[in-house]
Amino acid sequence: MPKAKDDLKPGHVNLKMLAEHLHLSQTTVSLVLNNSPAAKSIPLETRRRVLEAAERLNYRPNYFARSLRQSRSMSVGVLAPDLSEGYFTRVMSGVVEELTRAKYFYFTACHDWQPELMSQYPRMLVERAVDGFLLLNTPAELDVPVPVVAISAHGTEPNVTHIVLDHMKAVEMALRHLHLLGHQRIAFMRGPKVIPDSDFRWEGVEKSAQTMQLQLDPALITRIDSGAWSEKTGHHPMSPEIGYEPMKQLLARTRDFTAVFCFNDIAAIGAMRALAEVGLRVPHDVSVVGFDDIQSAAFFTPSLTTVRQPLNEMGKRGARILLERIANPDATELVAEVVMEPELVVRESTGKAKA
């Protein structure tokens, strides 16, 4: 068996150089490095030599050349408004888990709801030859030549698979819980207009309230846009301020409510702070319900009652579907929508309504 040449130094070594160094054909080396089923016919000792040399010489495959051969770049583009604590971190943890397992690389771009970035980033990612797009809480109005999976976006665009929560069921769970505790005067904190989930969730509130004969008092409805998401302060990543400001404004007008249902947990945490500042106790004076079940929701005092979205699983499912669509580009059967189930998590922030 010929010995490997000793004239190569670690660094920029391509397949041809590695094959010559080992006195093997490029096909043999490629089969071993790609762990191809056909590599089983290659002697174990030869396979070991190839892997050892590749590691010692710091061989890196030429992904661009490979992508031209396979028509794949082994990368996807992930678009999100921001990656702040809460919804995005939980969804991304599931996305990353699946993509890493599939040996896929990912580019994450945050558009911060800026229209020019929302149109510019998809183009830039297509130029980087991504095999598909995963959208987190971002409208799926993309004109791209690759598969698209959108999480929490809602819509009926061609070429897009939507992963959505059953918002009707989610809202109904929360309102029924408050109703059973005797709450009739419930304040609502609606989500920002830009977020696709906001209108779907509010539609669920209106329908559920009608079914339960709960009065929706316009004086008790606030919207996150009017607080920390206003033009005055500009859009910024989700922070508890998005719930703190609207709750302060509501309390300045009225205290005639016994519960508040917030658009998400981050807003609920801000709302609880505003309530505490005016001497109202949660849940003794006001019950608070959040939405999402972010990691820190269970560790606040009081711990937060919330509607759990299976965010990690939504991320995993979205990534899996995208990878399947990339692997089978000619599949005629496109799943247009996957509906995920919510769960009510009752903790310390809700209690019986004050008489």
Side-chain angles (χ1 to χ4, degrees), residues 44 57 83 88 102 115 119 139 170 192 195 208 234 242 249 300 315 342 346 348 351:
L44 190 61
L57 296 166
L83 292 176
F88 300 106
S119 64
I195 291 184
S208 295
I242 63 167
Q249 290 166 18
F300 280 89
V346 178
E348 297 163 352

Side-chain angles (χ1 to χ4, degrees), residues 7 56 67 87 108 128 138 147 152 192 225 233 269 296 309 321 327:
D7 55 353
R56 182 166 47 83
S67 72
Y87 172 93
T108 306
R128 280 159 179 76
T138 297
S152 306
D225 307 53
T233 54
I269 289 158
S296 49
Q309 293 200 67
I321 289 172

Side-chain angles (χ1 to χ4, degrees), residues 9-325:
K9 292 182 174 62
H12 192 74
V13 177
N14 63 28
L15 185 69
K16 184 168 183 278
M17 291 156 74
L18 188 61
E20 285 175 0
H21 173 74
L22 290 165
H23 301 290
L24 294 167
S25 73
Q26 288 184 49
T27 306
T28 299
V29 174
S30 179
L31 289 173
V32 173
L33 293 177
N34 289 313
N35 200 17
S36 163
K40 289 189 180 130
S41 62
I42 297 164
L44 190 61
E45 176 59 21
T46 305
R47 279 184 271 162
R48 190 193 58 71
R49 274 176 62 227
V50 170
L51 295 171
E52 184 271 324
E55 189 175 353
R56 182 166 47 83
L57 296 166
N58 199 20
Y59 168 75
R60 292 284 178 271
N62 183 333
Y63 279 105
F64 195 68
R66 182 195 280 188
S67 72
L68 289 174
R69 284 197 307 277
Q70 297 182 346
S71 304
R72 279 196 214 146
S73 66
M74 303 299 287
S75 65
V76 298
V78 181
L79 284 180
D82 63 75
L83 292 176
S84 54
E85 198 242 337
Y87 172 93
F88 300 106
T89 44
R90 294 301 294 267
V91 175
M92 261 321 270
S93 66
V95 169
V96 169
E97 196 179 319
E98 286 298 319
L99 294 180
T100 305
R101 182 181 295 144
K103 295 186 168 53
Y104 254 75
F105 184 65
Y106 52 94
F107 299 95
T108 306
C110 300
H111 53 71
D112 199 26
W113 299 110
Q114 294 179 43
E116 67 276 16
L117 294 183
M118 291 173 84
S119 64
Q120 186 185 344
Y121 282 162
R123 285 201 305 273
M124 290 170 74
L125 288 163
V126 166
E127 283 165 13
R128 280 159 179 76
V130 295
D131 296 332
F133 279 88
L134 202 53
L135 310 181
L136 311 191
N137 221 351
T138 297
E141 293 144 10
L142 304 188
D143 183 17
V144 290
V146 290
V148 177
V149 174
I151 300 173
S152 306
H154 307 273
T156 55
E157 301 86 354
N159 188 39
V160 180
T161 301
H162 284 275
I163 313 280
V164 295
L165 187 76
D166 185 338
H167 283 278
M168 192 70 213
K169 187 183 280 189
V171 169
E172 194 182 351
M173 284 172 166
L175 289 190
R176 196 165 295 286
H177 170 66
L178 290 174
H179 196 234
L180 289 171
L181 290 170
H183 295 280
Q184 292 289 330
R185 300 283 297 161
I186 302 172
F188 292 91
M189 198 179 289
R190 294 185 65 176
K193 286 192 180 92
V194 287
I195 291 184
D197 270 349
S198 296
D199 288 342
F200 284 87
R201 205 166 299 167
W202 185 247
E203 199 181 311
V205 167
E206 290 179 320
K207 284 181 180 166
S208 295
Q210 201 173 13
T211 307
M212 291 176 213
Q213 295 180 316
L214 274 173
Q215 204 66 40
L216 290 181
D217 183 347
L220 298 180
I221 298 166
T222 62
R223 188 154 202 167
I224 285 173
D225 307 53
S226 64
W229 280 65
S230 69
E231 291 306 315
K232 183 178 66 191
T233 54
H235 297 330
H236 53 74
M238 290 271 187
S239 82
E241 191 185 354
I242 63 167
Y244 175 78
E245 288 296 336
M247 181 51 77
K248 266 181 76 171
Q249 290 166 18
L250 177 63
L251 289 166
R253 295 195 305 267
T254 179
R255 294 191 186 181
D256 184 21
F257 57 93
T258 62
V260 58
F261 183 19
C262 296
F263 176 70
N264 61 20
D265 293 344
I266 298 281
I269 289 158
M272 288 201 287
R273 175 75 195 186
L275 289 164
E277 285 181 2
V278 298
L280 292 172
R281 292 163 297 166
V282 176
H284 186 269
D285 299 311
V286 179
S287 287
V288 177
V289 179
F291 206 103
D292 285 343
D293 195 25
I294 64 174
Q295 279 172 309
S296 49
F299 295 92
F300 280 89
T301 304
S303 56
L304 189 61
T305 293
T306 186
V307 179
R308 176 182 291 158
Q309 293 200 67
L311 297 174
N312 184 273
E313 185 52 43
M314 286 162 82
K316 280 188 188 175
R317 182 75 68 90
R320 267 203 306 269
I321 289 172
L322 182 61
L323 292 170
E324 282 164 15
R325 287 190 53 193

